[in-house]
Amino acid sequence: MPIFIIAIGVVILVLLIVKLKLNTFVSLIIVSLLVGAGLGIPMTKLSDVIETGIGDQIGGLAIVFGLGSMLGRLIADSGAGYRIALVLSRKFGRRYIEWAVVLAAFIIGLALFFEVGLVVLLPIVFVIANELGIAMLYLAIPMAAALNVAHAFLPPHPAPVAIAGILNAPLGQVLLLGCLVAIPTVIITGPLYNHVLHRLYPSAYHLETKSRVLGDFKTFDEHEIPSFKISLVTALMPVILIALATLTKYGLAATSHLRQVVDFIGTPDIAMIISLILAIYTLGLRRHVTMKKIGRSMQAAISQIAMMLFIIGGGGAFKQVLITGGVAKYVSQLFTNLNWSPLLAAWLITAVLRICIGSTTVAALTGAGLAVPLLQQAGVNPALMVLVVGAGSVFCDHVNGAGFWMIKQYFGLSLKETLLTWTPLTMLMSVVGLGCVLGLSLVF
């Protein structure tokens, strides 16, 4: 019955957005109320559940999104993004630029959350696409795929680390085997999937002259924009700070004062504020741009992401309703007595949870908990179980996932285009990841 209620809710959501053209945030709240009532959540508590879902979802993202959008706008308005795009396009050329973006996204994805990676890379991707005269989606799809793969499989991301803790898997082995899974998965779901999708659905690859996040593109005099070195360091400063904090965890004692300072500046919120301050100086004040003009750019950046934050919050409300309504418990009971391969069973449980709940982290942690008895009974390598749960946690990102709405809003896609491009990509990513893990299980 809960699965049926969720399915009806998703259908209503699509109808409200596509047919009635109702605002996406409002549609998500309406469907959250209907599904919550259908799942038996008391009417007196339903509004509190929705408020909790919205707060939990955007509470941790609002600072990073706000600061990240300001940083992105300064990079765009100053011409720094244009400089990076100019150098990359000249170095790699139109033919190989897609692989350059994939490589950069995968490296950056090792240190950044999926959401933060999008914020950092999006300005550069838009400008490169505009400079080369190619569709934004041609670069954005493989970029997002590389970021999502790193987020799902590789420590130090929270979900793989938490799953490894639940299953008592050594992080070093998880990282090593995770790279063996992640590299072919990125290649297949990035450039290869991108070319197939372009043939099957070419209308989605329309040329972009405007970004919902960055606004209209500008043309610059090459002699007036910041140098490549300044542009690159400023754009990647969040990555540098977070990566530095990650590395010091393996080289300095937790009680070390230096470690505590580096950990502080390496948290996403602090890293973004430091990076923004640096950008204000290097891309603004140092080039004699007035604070009034810098302030206008920052204000414009916030106004452009306001609705996106509301939509992501609405997705969080939907997710919280499903969790509070006991969907995770219901799904776990369905798979209690499965007589399958423990790796396949763990993947399937997590994938179904992901479809129903919409949260990668919740699906991963719940799936890991349900995988513990499977691991104990079969004697499977714990690191492989971590990876297979990670693969299941990214399966079929659709309307109940915050990542889905981020991709839709950031990439300027319609609901239909997002369902036809991003959702199949996440399904393919999950299945390819499963296949790689099953292959490794024959050796490890």
Side-chain angles (χ1 to χ4, degrees):
M1 190 64 181
I3 304 296
F4 176 74
I5 292 171
I6 294 169
I8 294 296
V10 170
V11 170
I12 294 173
L13 181 63
V14 173
L15 289 175
L16 289 175
I17 296 171
V18 177
K19 294 294 183 183
L20 300 183
K21 309 297 182 184
L22 188 62
N23 177 273
T24 303
F25 173 71
V26 176
S27 301
L28 282 164
I29 298 302
I30 291 173
V31 170
S32 297
L33 288 168
L34 295 174
V35 171
L39 292 174
I41 299 174
M43 299 300 291
T44 53
K45 295 183 178 180
L46 196 49
S47 62
D48 291 336
V49 171
I50 289 175
E51 288 177 8
T52 299
I54 294 174
D56 289 347
Q57 190 68 62
I58 67 175
L61 295 178
I63 296 177
V64 172
F65 273 23
L67 298 176
S69 65
M70 292 180 193
L71 176 62
R73 185 64 187 241
L74 290 178
I75 290 170
D77 286 353
S78 66
Y82 182 80
R83 173 70 75 183
I84 294 171
L86 204 62
V87 172
L88 284 177
S89 59
R90 287 173 180 173
K91 289 284 185 182
F92 289 92
R94 183 188 181 97
R95 183 176 180 182
Y96 297 108
I97 191 64
E98 181 186 14
W99 290 95
V101 169
V102 167
L103 179 61
F106 185 70
I107 293 172
I108 289 172
L110 293 174
L112 290 179
F113 291 113
F114 175 70
E115 297 86 357
V116 182
L118 282 178
V119 171
V120 171
L121 284 172
L122 190 68
I124 300 171
V125 166
F126 266 111
V127 177
I128 291 174
N130 190 60
E131 172 67 16
L132 295 178
I134 58 179
M136 176 277 301
L137 203 65
Y138 184 77
L139 298 180
I141 284 288
M143 175 202 73
L147 287 173
N148 208 20
V149 167
H151 180 79
F153 294 113
L154 302 175
H157 287 285
V161 171
I163 299 168
I166 294 171
L167 299 174
N168 294 318
L171 274 180
Q173 193 176 24
V174 173
L175 183 57
L176 174 63
L177 296 179
C179 286
L180 296 178
V181 172
I183 291 172
T185 304
V186 167
I187 293 172
I188 293 172
T189 61
L192 296 183
Y193 170 81
N194 201 28
H195 287 278
V196 173
L197 183 65
H198 185 265
R199 290 176 178 272
L200 295 177
Y201 192 41
S203 61
Y205 287 75
H206 43 75
L207 289 176
E208 292 287 329
T209 57
K210 184 176 180 180
S211 162
R212 295 187 184 184
V213 179
L214 302 179
D216 294 312
F217 288 112
K218 299 180 180 179
T219 56
F220 298 91
D221 185 336
E222 190 175 341
H223 301 289
E224 296 178 354
I225 58 179
S227 68
F228 177 71
K229 182 179 179 181
I230 291 294
S231 301
L232 189 65
V233 170
T234 304
L236 296 185
M237 184 52 63
V239 182
I240 295 169
L241 294 176
I242 294 173
L244 184 63
T246 301
L247 292 174
T248 56
K249 291 180 181 179
Y250 301 100
L252 295 175
T255 55
S256 165
H257 291 298
L258 179 60
R259 162 80 179 274
Q260 292 172 6
V261 171
V262 175
D263 281 349
F264 173 72
I265 65 174
T267 56
D269 294 351
I270 304 301
M272 291 304 296
I273 190 65
I274 292 173
S275 302
L276 181 61
I277 293 171
L278 176 67
I280 290 172
Y281 173 71
T282 59
L283 306 181
L285 299 177
R286 186 171 180 266
R287 300 173 58 242
H288 308 293
V289 179
T290 65
M291 276 303 300
K292 185 176 182 180
K293 187 174 182 180
I294 294 171
R296 284 200 298 266
S297 291
M298 295 165 66
Q299 184 175 351
I302 291 299
S303 65
Q304 287 165 350
I305 66 165
M307 182 50 66
M308 182 183 66
L309 278 175
F310 273 101
I311 291 171
I312 292 172
F318 194 16
K319 175 199 73 178
Q320 190 62 42
V321 162
L322 299 179
I323 294 171
T324 305
V327 173
K329 183 179 178 181
Y330 176 80
V331 171
S332 66
Q333 291 173 347
L334 289 177
F335 293 96
T336 301
N337 299 315
L338 273 181
N339 242 350
W340 291 1
S341 156
L343 290 173
L344 184 58
W347 175 84
L348 184 59
I349 292 170
T350 310
V352 173
L353 285 168
R354 176 64 181 80
I355 294 172
C356 297
I357 295 174
S359 168
T360 297
T361 304
V362 173
L365 296 180
T366 307
L370 297 172
V372 171
L374 296 173
L375 186 64
Q376 293 171 343
Q377 294 171 8
V380 178
N381 186 331
L384 294 179
M385 189 65 85
V386 171
L387 297 175
V388 87
V389 168
S393 71
V394 295
F395 185 80
C396 194
D397 189 17
H398 62 102
V399 294
N400 66 351
F404 176 90
W405 298 108
M406 282 181 59
I407 294 296
K408 177 185 179 298
Q409 293 299 113
Y410 266 128
F411 293 176
L413 302 173
S414 68
L415 180 62
K416 177 184 176 182
E417 287 171 339
T418 314
L419 286 169
L420 289 174
T421 57
W422 179 248
T423 300
L425 185 151
T426 57
M427 295 171 70
L428 178 63
M429 183 183 302
S430 181
V431 173
V432 171
L434 170 65
C436 291
V437 173
L438 292 177
L440 288 176
S441 69
L442 302 176
V443 180
F444 296 94

